[in-house]
Amino acid sequence: MPLIATGGCEAISLEQTQDFDIILMDIEMPDLDGFQTTRRIREAQRLRLRPVHPPVVAYTSSKMPIAARLMQFVGIDDVIAKPCDAKTMSRCLQRWCSDKFSSSDGSFARLGHT
């Protein structure tokens, strides 16, 4: 089941207590932006020596292109522009969560966290 954080601080807290298959990160959030949040999540993962580092996909309505260098620096793996259709989201999820994807019927075996 997907979990939704209302802001960056909550996203950091959830990541510390859950194992996720993928993190869809809004770039514009009320408390911390997606860059700050992702950077803090990646730092916490390194400090905890977590063996699993779920991909972080920026999900943004920003018209400004996100610089690949900044994304790499903070630990963002991919970006999807809002709004996106089901096909675009499905391709993204299949790319990053292919081990959770059932190719026989095109649906996910699991969504959310492991």
Side-chain angles (χ1 to χ4, degrees), residues 13 22 39 50 60 112:
S13 178
I22 190 168
R39 184 179 51 79
R50 293 199 64 173
T60 181

Side-chain angles (χ1 to χ4, degrees), residues 26-73:
D26 196 345
I27 295 301
E28 298 173 17
M29 294 184 287
D31 50 2
L32 297 173
D33 68 32
F35 298 112
Q36 296 168 316
T37 302
T38 301
R39 184 179 51 79
R40 290 184 186 186
I41 285 172
R42 294 303 195 203
E43 286 173 358
Q45 289 170 337
R46 280 190 289 276
L47 291 173
R48 291 189 320 266
L49 301 174
R50 293 199 64 173
V52 176
H53 293 250
V56 175
V57 177
Y59 190 55
T60 181
S61 60
S62 175
K63 302 287 188 219
M64 188 175 86
I66 298 175
R69 186 175 235 168
L70 177 58
M71 286 176 33
Q72 183 180 17
F73 177 75

